[in-house]
């Protein structure tokens, strides 16, 4: 791939999905675009890029963005955020919401392991929310991932990463070589296609937003833009959960750290006033 | 250093599993069937056992039941690691005193994840 093609694709990814692709990621681009070129019946990546450049085919551009997004996820990933949710977030919200439903948003949910982990946790411990109904909205830019999430069908490998065996027994049934999460848990999660870069999205206000390991792919200004937009989608007293390697420091004043819990932030009083 | 007994009739599986548990900072021992494993446990009770189901002489489930009746046999954390991947086998293993369950094929990520689940690492 020549440098002009690389620049074209990296600008496209930045514009469409906020993904910053350094020149050292040429190998990543090539390894992910080669299967797409084959699927499209094109002899090489160069031809694929040529077609994208000349035709501006939306379907192909969407697929290109899709294959370039990282969909790494697993059940109860990193554990700590789920402990925060259980110990410091849900009990506080249950009391504050006074019977009104708690809304949780998993932004960039990939194939659904994160929202289903939350749903299973709440289902098994209803006392956490004091009987307050919970709505979980899961969004992602990739329709392919969302479709898998909606199906709730996971491979044997996927159900063995982070999921305790007791939870597998309780919430899943076997379907040939796969495992399907129960209808009860699936009904707790709504999947919707959404691009965090799109300024016009409207999902209403949330009490908790999980946005983990997403911002790491964005540059500074995009991080700030996305975080400020997340803040606008939060109720007063709402919580934001970031990935272990992510922070709001130096990027926005819309959030403040919560109770010395790493990765957990509250909407700042400044942001509440501004709203 | 914690000790992990790997019980599997396949030498290859034992070798792969040994490498993984040693990377997780366990001292590894091996047994080729349930009877050998029981004999080992009677001398030295390990901290955890990675246990195959189908083996000659004594299978994994019979070993587990016998182990849990031994003095101190309630102590080791037992993680099944088997090709038996249906719900009835999983349920039987858990009823018989297993702490976790791995469906083969496995890799280092799965073993680490399962060991994490039961507080081994």
């Amino acid at each position: 791939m020549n440098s002009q093609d690389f620049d074209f694709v990296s600008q496209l990814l930045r514009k469409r999905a906020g993904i910053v692709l350094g020149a050292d990621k040429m190998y990543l681009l090539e390894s992910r675009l080669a299967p797409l070129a084959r699927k499209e019946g094109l002899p090489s990546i160069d031809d694929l890029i040529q077609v994208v450049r000349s035709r501006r085919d939306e379907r192909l551009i969407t697929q290109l963005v899709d294959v370039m997004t990282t969909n790494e996820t697993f059940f109860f990933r990193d554990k700590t955020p789920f402990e925060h949710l259980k110990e410091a977030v849900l009990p506080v919200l249950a009391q504050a919401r006074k019977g009104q439903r708690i809304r949780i948003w998993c932004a960039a949910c990939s194939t659904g392991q994160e929202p289903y982990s939350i749903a299973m946790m709440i289902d098994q411990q209803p006392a956490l929310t004091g009987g307050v109904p919970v709505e979980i909205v899961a969004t992602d830019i990739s329709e392919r991932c969302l479709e898998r999430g909606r199906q709730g069908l996971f491979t044997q490998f996927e159900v063995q990463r982070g999921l305790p065996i007791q939870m597998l027994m309780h919430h899943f049934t076997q379907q040939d070589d796969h495992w399907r999460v129960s209808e009860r848990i699936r009904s707790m999660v709504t999947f919707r296609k959404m691009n965090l870069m799109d300024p016009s999205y409207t999902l209403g206000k949330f009490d908790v937003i999980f946005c983990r390991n997403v911002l790491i792919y964005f540059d500074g200004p995009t991080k700030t833009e996305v975080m400020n937009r997340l803040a606008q989608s939060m109720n007063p007293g709402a919580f934001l959960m970031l990935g272990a390697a992510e922070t709001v420091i130096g990027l926005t004043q819309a959030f403040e750290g919560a109770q010395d819990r790493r990765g957990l932030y509250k909407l700042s009083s400044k942001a509440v006033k501004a709203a | 250093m914690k000790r992990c007994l790997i019980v599997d009739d396949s030498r290859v599986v034992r070798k792969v599993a040994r490498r993984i548990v040693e990377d997780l900072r366990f001292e590894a021992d091996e047994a080729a069937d349930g009877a050998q494993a029981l004999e080992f446990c009677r001398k030295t009770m390990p901290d955890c056992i990675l246990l195959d189901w189908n083996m000659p002489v004594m299978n994994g489930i019979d070993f587990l039941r016998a182990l849990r009746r031994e003095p101190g046999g309630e102590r080791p954390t037992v993680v099944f690691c088997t090709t038996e991947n249906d719900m009835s086998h999983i349920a039987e293993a858990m009823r018989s005193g297993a702490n976790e369950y791995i469906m083969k094929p496995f890799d280092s990520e799965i073993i680490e994840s399962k060991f994490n689940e039961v507080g081994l690492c």
Side-chain angles (χ1 to χ4, degrees), chain A residues 59-124:
Chain A
R59 181 196 61 85
L60 198 52
I61 292 173
T62 304
Q63 285 197 45
L64 188 147
V65 172
D66 196 342
V67 298
M68 287 311 299
T69 53
T70 299
N71 304 310
E72 168 73 0
T73 182
F74 48 94
F75 290 102
F76 295 97
R77 185 177 185 182
D78 300 336
K79 274 196 176 176
T80 312
F82 298 92
E83 283 164 16
H84 293 342
L85 186 66
K86 189 161 73 174
E87 294 162 8
V89 174
L90 289 176
V92 171
L93 290 174
Q95 212 158 26
R97 300 296 289 157
K98 294 191 171 66
Q100 277 185 302
R101 121 192 117 140
I102 295 171
R103 298 192 76 221
I104 301 174
W105 175 17
C106 293
C109 67
S110 186
T111 41
Q113 281 89 330
E114 183 180 80
Y116 285 138
S117 297
I118 296 170
M120 285 186 280
M121 194 177 89
I122 291 171
D123 184 68
Q124 280 195 216

Side-chain angles (χ1 to χ4, degrees), chain B residues 23-36:
Chain B
D23 281 348
L24 295 172
R25 304 176 67 91
F26 283 84
E27 195 177 313
D29 298 291
E30 296 178 24
D33 60 58
Q36 270 185 28

Side-chain angles (χ1 to χ4, degrees), chain A:
Chain A
M1 183 185 297
N2 63 42
S3 63
Q4 274 180 326
D5 282 353
F6 181 84
D7 290 345
F8 168 76
V9 176
S10 67
Q11 274 169 29
L12 184 70
L13 289 170
R14 194 187 195 111
K15 195 172 153 208
R16 293 293 181 116
I19 298 167
V20 179
L21 206 62
D24 59 329
K25 292 286 179 354
M26 179 81 89
Y27 74 94
L28 189 70
L29 203 59
E30 288 179 342
S31 67
R32 291 193 183 179
L33 292 190
L36 180 60
R38 274 199 300 276
K39 193 177 144 215
E40 292 295 316
L42 296 163
S44 69
I45 297 171
D46 294 346
D47 291 292
L48 174 73
I49 295 169
Q50 190 51 47
V51 170
V52 172
R53 288 181 90 136
S54 58
R55 288 195 210 148
R56 294 280 167 171
D57 178 347
E58 262 316 302
R59 181 196 61 85
L60 198 52
I61 292 173
T62 304
Q63 285 197 45
L64 188 147
V65 172
D66 196 342
V67 298
M68 287 311 299
T69 53
T70 299
N71 304 310
E72 168 73 0
T73 182
F74 48 94
F75 290 102
F76 295 97
R77 185 177 185 182
D78 300 336
K79 274 196 176 176
T80 312
F82 298 92
E83 283 164 16
H84 293 342
L85 186 66
K86 189 161 73 174
E87 294 162 8
V89 174
L90 289 176
V92 171
L93 290 174
Q95 212 158 26
R97 300 296 289 157
K98 294 191 171 66
Q100 277 185 302
R101 121 192 117 140
I102 295 171
R103 298 192 76 221
I104 301 174
W105 175 17
C106 293
C109 67
S110 186
T111 41
Q113 281 89 330
E114 183 180 80
Y116 285 138
S117 297
I118 296 170
M120 285 186 280
M121 194 177 89
I122 291 171
D123 184 68
Q124 280 195 216
Q125 300 176 67
L128 286 174
T129 52
V132 175
V134 176
E135 179 191 1
I136 303 169
V137 178
T139 66
D140 202 89
I141 194 171
S142 164
E143 187 54 51
R144 179 177 48 94
C145 286
L146 288 167
E147 194 43 44
R148 284 205 54 214
R150 284 187 196 106
Q151 288 179 359
L153 207 55
F154 298 96
T155 65
Q156 186 169 289
F157 178 71
E158 287 166 333
V159 297
Q160 297 200 91
R161 290 176 84 203
L163 187 69
I165 196 72
Q166 297 287 3
M167 280 204 170
L168 181 78
M169 293 169 70
H170 195 72
H171 296 292
F172 288 75
T173 50
Q174 205 165 10
Q175 275 192 8
D176 301 319
D177 289 341
H178 286 71
W179 294 81
R180 187 179 214 115
V181 71
S182 70
E183 169 60 33
R184 182 187 170 88
I185 296 299
R186 271 186 284 143
S187 69
M188 292 172 71
V189 182
T190 309
F191 288 91
R192 289 181 63 174
K193 183 169 180 175
M194 210 203 74
N195 184 350
L196 283 170
M197 295 290 292
D198 178 1
S200 64
Y201 66 72
T202 47
L203 296 168
K205 301 266 186 185
F206 290 89
D207 303 294
V208 188
I209 298 179
F210 274 66
C211 185
R212 301 191 302 141
N213 308 307
V214 180
L215 300 171
I216 45 173
Y217 299 104
F218 300 159
D219 61 17
T222 309
K223 282 178 189 172
T224 302
E225 196 183 318
V226 168
M227 275 197 277
N228 287 339
R229 217 175 290 142
L230 292 179
Q232 287 163 19
S233 303
M234 294 167 84
N235 284 319
F239 293 86
L240 171 70
M241 201 85 73
L242 295 182
E246 295 165 325
T247 179
V248 302
I249 296 168
L251 295 167
T252 176
Q253 293 190 318
F255 302 99
E256 53 199 32
Q259 302 163 27
D260 292 328
R261 287 179 177 268
R262 191 170 176 181
L264 180 64
Y265 297 88
K266 280 190 82 166
L267 198 58
S268 69
S269 43
K270 201 180 266 183
V272 173
K273 273 183 205 154

Side-chain angles (χ1 to χ4, degrees), chain A residues 165-166 169, chain B residues 49 51-54 59-68 76-103:
Chain A
I165 196 72
Q166 297 287 3
M169 293 169 70
Chain B
I49 300 169
L51 180 63
D52 188 19
W53 192 297
N54 298 304
N59 68 26
I61 200 78
D62 289 342
F63 159 77
L64 177 58
R65 289 183 183 127
L67 172 78
R68 293 307 193 204
T77 301
V78 176
V79 179
F80 255 103
C81 185
T82 169
T83 52
E84 301 295 353
N85 66 354
D86 58 283
M87 201 61 100
S88 61
H89 277 89
I90 297 172
E92 189 181 357
M94 301 312 282
R95 271 199 310 273
S96 304
N99 300 90
E100 255 298 342
Y101 199 99
I102 292 170
M103 296 173 270

